[in-house]
Amino acid sequence: VMRRNPFGMDICCRKRSRSPLQELYNPTQVSLSNTAILHQIRRDQVTDTCRANSVSSRKRRVLTPNDLKHLVVDEDHEMIYCYVPKVACTNWKRVMMVLTGRGKYSDPMEIPANEAHVSSNLKTLNQYSIPEINHRLKNYMKFLFVREPFERLVSAYRNKFTQKYNTSFHKRYGTKIVRRQRKNATQEALRKGDDVKFEEFVAYLIDPHTQREEPFNEHWQTVYSLCHPCHIHYDLIGKYETLEEDSNYILQLAGVGNYLKFPTYAKSTRTTDEMTTEFFQNISSEHQTQLYEVYKLDFLMFNYSVPSYLKME
């Protein structure tokens, strides 16, 4: 029975003698210690970038509960995951539902994608009191996953603006983008907002008016603004490029690696580097430069070099 339903209460929720945090910084297995070095390098990169760019983060404000709504808490394994849309966040939310479900789910892929995004299925850090928040930030292992910023941006654009079923995005953002960026737009385009061009999307993102009006939508918001890595010390920074290894390493640290693996899937529609290059062909060098400025901290912080296809001013 134990093998068939490994997420029975006895396994999933038993208090381990060592927390993931202890296992990360003081590994008992050699295989874990090699990977620990790589993650130390990634942590240092974030720290150095925060320090070097403290000008932009000098308004060292106190985080509000609203800043913590992307941080998903797993009490049983003492972990906190900051989810970033378009960086495998559906699958990570599924895994978190298995980890926190106390036996309710055993296979992440049996959880429908839309169910993974129902906010009541996972507990976020903003639902706790201030002392509880501080305790968890100090004692739980905190991790996030990042992706090359422009590849993530193109992925968001393709998903939200080129798929016919995303009518809520077309209405909410598409109509606004068309109205603001397209000269002589047809009445239909203004009403539907379902044919936004990538160039128009970029023009909308770099428009100072956009930033003043409201925060970016989470699908194209910077990781810097979603997860606050200069204010919250992340113990692990996983990368989309090494998604499987990084994810399974985290599950190993949590002590569940023997029976829970991160879901793998070969998605042919995935946004690639080549595809991103193509999307940027029609963006003027002036707009490329301005767009890079918007996402610059994400590039620097997570060690992504300036893409070779950019013709910046």
Side-chain angles (χ1 to χ4, degrees):
V1 177
M2 291 261 299
R3 285 268 60 82
R4 238 190 8 258
N5 179 16
F7 271 87
M9 284 295 288
D10 43 354
I11 292 191
C12 127
C13 308
R14 182 175 65 208
K15 268 280 177 241
R16 294 170 63 229
S17 52
R18 285 167 65 79
S19 71
L21 208 53
Q22 291 168 318
E23 200 53 67
L24 170 67
Y25 290 107
N26 198 355
T28 47
Q29 298 170 42
V30 177
S31 61
L32 294 181
S33 53
N34 297 339
T35 317
I37 297 165
L38 164 74
H39 286 278
Q40 179 64 57
I41 293 168
R42 290 182 187 173
R43 278 196 299 277
D44 290 345
Q45 177 77 21
V46 171
T47 309
D48 294 347
T49 308
C50 290
R51 204 172 287 138
N53 293 276
S54 61
V55 191
S56 51
S57 58
R58 191 161 289 157
K59 316 182 272 293
R60 188 156 169 103
R61 59 192 182 79
V62 175
L63 293 177
T64 65
N66 196 42
D67 293 321
L68 306 174
K69 61 178 189 282
H70 272 249
L71 280 79
V72 175
V73 181
D74 172 2
E75 293 288 349
D76 295 321
H77 304 90
E78 302 190 349
M79 299 197 300
I80 294 174
Y81 159 57
C82 184
Y83 69 89
V84 177
K86 307 312 302 169
V87 194
C89 92
T90 305
N91 277 352
W92 255 110
K93 283 181 175 181
R94 285 171 162 143
V95 169
M96 293 300 275
M97 281 172 73
V98 173
L99 289 171
T100 59
R102 306 208 162 193
K104 195 171 158 192
Y105 315 93
S106 58
D107 177 4
M109 292 319 274
E110 279 174 7
I111 302 171
N114 60 335
E115 205 179 312
H117 295 294
V118 173
S119 55
S120 58
N121 283 333
L122 290 165
K123 196 161 185 192
T124 47
L125 197 58
N126 59 339
Q127 294 169 293
Y128 292 84
S129 70
I130 304 288
E132 288 172 331
I133 289 172
N134 289 332
H135 170 78
R136 281 157 185 74
L137 284 175
K138 189 173 167 211
N139 297 293
Y140 286 16
M141 184 176 82
K142 299 167 295 299
F143 67 95
L144 77 158
F145 276 78
V146 298
R147 182 178 186 176
E148 202 280 338
F150 285 170
E151 194 181 289
R152 178 178 163 239
L153 192 64
V154 168
S155 175
Y157 166 77
R158 290 178 66 219
N159 180 252
K160 299 304 171 197
F161 294 108
T162 68
Q163 305 289 346
K164 288 295 169 214
Y165 61 81
N166 262 322
T167 48
S168 63
F169 265 82
H170 304 155
K171 281 262 184 291
R172 169 92 173 74
Y173 295 100
T175 52
K176 188 185 289 187
I177 293 171
V178 169
R179 191 174 66 243
R180 213 183 280 170
Q181 305 300 338
R182 190 179 302 176
K183 290 185 176 72
N184 313 322
T186 64
Q187 282 307 307
E188 190 186 19
L190 288 165
R191 193 179 79 252
K192 286 188 169 173
D194 63 352
D195 64 344
V196 170
K197 297 183 183 70
F198 186 64
E199 299 89 285
E200 294 171 329
F201 178 52
V202 169
Y204 161 78
L205 293 173
I206 59 178
D207 182 348
H209 185 75
T210 305
Q211 300 258 24
R212 281 197 301 271
E213 189 177 58
E214 60 180 345
F216 276 0
N217 176 277
E218 58 174 21
H219 290 85
W220 48 86
Q221 180 59 282
T222 60
V223 177
Y224 171 76
S225 304
L226 287 176
C227 295
H228 314 285
C230 290
H231 299 77
I232 294 170
H233 171 82
Y234 286 93
D235 304 289
L236 276 164
I237 294 140
K239 291 203 161 190
Y240 194 72
E241 296 77 14
T242 48
L243 178 62
E244 240 179 285
E245 304 94 289
D246 292 344
S247 299
N248 288 323
Y249 174 59
I250 289 167
L251 296 174
Q252 246 183 306
L253 292 170
V256 298
N258 292 343
Y259 41 82
L260 180 60
K261 292 277 178 276
F262 192 77
T264 58
Y265 59 100
K267 238 179 148 190
S268 53
T269 57
R270 195 175 85 74
T271 301
T272 59
D273 188 45
E274 293 74 43
M275 219 179 268
T276 306
T277 306
E278 236 163 274
F279 272 90
F280 272 85
Q281 291 297 301
N282 302 328
I283 307 296
S284 71
S285 56
E286 184 192 357
H287 280 190
Q288 288 186 3
T289 307
Q290 289 171 289
L291 191 68
Y292 179 78
E293 280 305 312
V294 174
Y295 292 93
K296 185 178 176 181
L297 276 177
D298 280 4
F299 274 101
L300 297 174
M301 206 167 269
F302 307 117
N303 207 16
Y304 288 108
S305 48
V306 176
S308 55
Y309 54 78
L310 286 194
K311 4 178 230 302
M312 302 214 298
E313 301 214 312

